[in-house]
Amino acid sequence: MSRSVKVLTFLCLLGLAIADEPKKIYKMCIPHIYYNDCLKVLEEPSNAGILMECVPARDRMECLEKVNKREADVIAVDPEDMYVAYHMNNEDFHVISEIRTDVEKDAQFRYEGIILVKKSSPVKSLEDLKGMKSCHTGFGRNVGYKIPITKLKNSGILKVELDPHLAPTERELKALSQFFSKSCLVGTYSPYPEVDKELKKKYSNLCALCEKPEQCNYPDKFSGYDGAIRCLDQGEGDVAFTKTSFVKKYFGMIGDKPESTKPEDFEYLCEDGTRRPLTGPVCSWAQRPWQGYMTNADTVKGQENLKTLQNRLDTFFHNGRAVEKSAAEHLLIKPDLILHEKKETIMPKEYLERAGYKDVIERDGSMAEKVRFCITNDIELEKCNTLRQAAYSRDIRPEFQCVVHSKDECIKAIKEKNADVVVLHAEEYQKGHDGHLKPLIYESFGDDNVYVAIADSNASHEVLAKTPLKYDKNNKRARYAAYLLNSKRGKETCQDSADSGDIEIVNSKDLSKHSNKQLVCLDLTAKPVSEYKTCNVEAALPNAAFVRDDLSDQDKGNLVHAFISLSDRFRPHGKNEDVFEMFGEFKQGYSNVLFNDEAVAFVTEFKPRNEIDEKSFSTLHCKV
């Protein structure tokens, strides 16, 4: 065989080998609570052969780690997740596709924040806004709150004092209250109702222009994107902070239901003080980026790999519309959204900076004080740092800082003002008190999570009074429930978990498995299993966040605000539970890291069950 024939034969065989080489299956990381939704999309017949796989993770924070560690290839993200990725390993993450609306598919940004004034307004610069009456979309929102504060502060016009006695939120509210004469800024200023009420009373001029100043919350005629314009047009406002698409809708430049047909009476105010008509080019002063898909550098090395992944995502996204609406929305898939493929990848920092959004997230600056969270080991440090990143990116202030000591050293550090807060278990409460600390925040298990005693419906009173208890000795709450029941039965001893026993200690969440049983109350009376809220043997005290006992009311308020904000966002069914799972198993093999896995929220008041307070709890133990 000639040399040329041999070479040709080799090349043919090589080509066949390459053709037969299996194509890459791309792994999409999904928070575990939405894992089944991802499977539903892949099970759609139209997705047959798409060569994608759903990889479950604890939450989006862990998904970012998995993409960075090459355990997954791609993740759907918000701009705030991109901010976390930028701090995690900016050069390794790449935004490859944007999730845009079909209506604004050619828009570079999700929306643009603008300043709207009347044409007759004397305002000729940002400085001239001082003393004006302002209309905002709402507290904490991007174009109506975060962007104005960020831009006015960075321009040196809005003075946000670094008063250590004020919470970061109150500093911003105070600055706005002093800058504008009157405003409409509706919303919940604090997740803590008493603080919210106090702030609205203290800075009442921020609610003065609202339809219902005494309520200063949604719904309000002058709230939201269109409400801010309405406040300027129909109310007493001098300036409105909103976004361009709603300006166009309001004045009939798009859509068919305008509220006003006189766009010529209003103008955009630009950062440099110039003005532009609404019918001309927009001058926005900051933008919110689109949501999108992000991957790592290796996955999209080379244009061909980039295009392959983008095509797979486009198919996944398009076919995802066929599944039930709620399942699709959990994956950021909606009927009015499309994928816009980036011709070139872009790193998250650059992506955010193009929109000026990095400054919006960081608007409080690096000089603001932090909550020094004292933790005791490496796994707690890992969770604390994850919490810190998730919280900061989602606008929870004050920012958290993690410091490591032993538990005794943590208590000492807080007493000496070298740390601010530590989580103590019930058995450690007394140590906290001895170190001049006191509880400020408690975990809550919710009303439907208590430990109960169950027995056969035909069990006699004598049997209930003497029978051994069956319970999980490794479960602290079950153990204390057993101690309490035995103390009420007058038993001086208690056993380890038994394989048999006429009374079993179980969680009320599992009562559906025991519908043929009856509850045994502490007085040994019996009730149906549906009565677990009033007939239970719950005896455990929750973990609590302890602080210095001489902490000022203002500092306590700051800490309460931070922890309640964490709870509101990251608890089960919270606004961002898929971003960071506050409660539940943090890592496989590590239970109850920082907080109890069964907790569902933070609360400021502990309501004892079965009259078990700190004093009576200390008497509960197993007497041998």
Side-chain angles (χ1 to χ4, degrees), residues 234-251:
Q234 303 174 23
E236 299 178 28
D238 299 317
V239 58
F241 301 100
T242 185
K243 65 180 184 179
T244 52
S245 58
F246 274 79
V247 171
K248 293 175 181 178
K249 289 178 183 177
Y250 189 92
F251 291 104

Side-chain angles (χ1 to χ4, degrees), residues 147-191:
I147 289 175
I149 288 176
T150 302
K151 303 299 285 188
L152 291 174
K153 179 185 173 184
N154 290 350
S155 300
I157 299 168
L158 183 71
K159 307 296 182 183
V160 181
E161 301 173 9
L162 286 177
D163 185 343
H165 300 296
L166 297 182
T169 295
E170 184 170 358
R171 291 176 198 162
E172 293 180 345
L173 293 173
K174 181 180 178 181
L176 289 174
S177 177
Q178 293 175 340
F179 188 80
F180 295 113
S181 59
K182 292 182 180 180
S183 303
C184 180
L185 180 66
V186 305
T188 303
Y189 293 180
S190 170

Side-chain angles (χ1 to χ4, degrees), residues 466-483:
K466 296 180 179 180
T467 184
L469 302 181
K470 179 182 178 182
Y471 63 95
D472 180 2
K473 67 179 180 180
N474 296 315
N475 184 313
K476 184 165 66 174
R477 289 178 66 195
R479 204 164 61 237
Y480 279 112
Y483 297 168

